[in-house]
Amino acid sequence: MDHMVELRKVTKRFGGFTAVDEVDLTIKQGEFLTLLGPSGCGKTTVLRMVSGFETPSEGSVWLAGEDVTDLPPYRRDVNQVFQSYALFPHLTVQDNISFGLRMRKLSKAEVAERVRNVIELVSLSGMEKRKPSQLSGGQRQRVALARAIVCQPKVLLLDEPLSALDAKLRHAMQIELKRLQKKLGITFVFVTHDQEEALTMSDRIAVVNKGRIEQIGDCADIYHSPQTSFVANFIGPGQYSRCQGNRA
Ligand SMILES: Nc1ncnc2c1ncn2[C@@H]1O[C@H](COP(=O)(O)OP(=O)(O)OP(=O)(O)O)[C@@H](O)[C@H]1O
C-alpha cells in the first residue's frame, strides 16, 4: 500500500468555528511529511484526527487503505510523540520505553531485546536505570522517541517534538530524527511552525493557513514556486540553504 495516510475532504468544526476546512492530504509510505503553519492554523487538529483523538465533522481518514474515521485511537496503527514528552517521572528510562510493549503481553525476552535495540538506536546506552529527572532535555526527547518507535507503528505523529530544546541541540536532533526516520522507514507526520525546521527535515511540506492547505510540495516547490502570497511571506527569504542540505 503506497498511500499510508489519507484525509478526504476533512473538516473539523468546534461550535461555529471551522478549525480544519476541507483538507485533502495523501501521505506515502515511508514519507516525512510536515504540516507547517502559524499558531492556531489547525495543524494539531489535523494530527489529532489521524490519531483518532478528534473525530472529523465531515470527511474521512484512511490508514493503509482502511477507513479508520470511526475507529478509536487504540485500534489505529499510529503512535505519537508530544511536545511535553509525557514521560512517567517515577519510571526508569528502560521502563518508560518498555511500557507500551508490556501492555501488549509480549514475552519478557522479546521486550528486553526490543528495548535494548531501540536504546542503542537513539544513543541512550548506559542511561537505562535513570529517571527522567536525571536526564537532559535532549535525552528526555530521545526517551520519548524511543518509546514511540519501540512498538514499530506504521505511522508516527510528532507535534512540535523539538520545541523545548535550545537552538544547538534542536538542530542536532533535527538531523538525528531525519536519519532515524529513513533508517526505520516509518511514515512521519511532523508538525511545526518553524520554516527552517520544515525545510531541513521534510520530504514534502504542507503549508497550512486558517484550516486549509495552501500548498503542498517538496522544499524546492515551496521555496521557489510559492502559489499564494501567504506561502511566499511565511517561508520568507534566506532559508534555501537548509533545503539544499536536506536534498543531499
Ligand atoms: N477543543 C477545541 N475547542 C474549541 N476550539 C478548538 C479546540 N481545539 C482547537 N481549537 C481551535 O482550533 C484552532 C486550531 O487549533 P490547533 O491546535 O489545531 O492549531 P495549531 O496550528 O496546532 O496551533 P499551535 O501551533 O499554536 O499548536 C485554534 O483556533 C484553536 O483555538
Side-chain angles (χ1 to χ4, degrees), residues 14 17 19-20 37-46 54 159-160 191 193:
F14 294 108
F17 176 74
V20 174
S39 180
C41 71
K43 307 179 295 291
T44 298
T45 306
V46 169
E54 215 63 87
D159 195 351
E160 307 247 7
V191 162
H193 61 265

Side-chain angles (χ1 to χ4, degrees), residues 11 26 39-40 178 185 208 223-224:
T11 292
T26 301
S39 180
K178 174 81 184 171
V208 184
Y223 189 83
H224 285 307

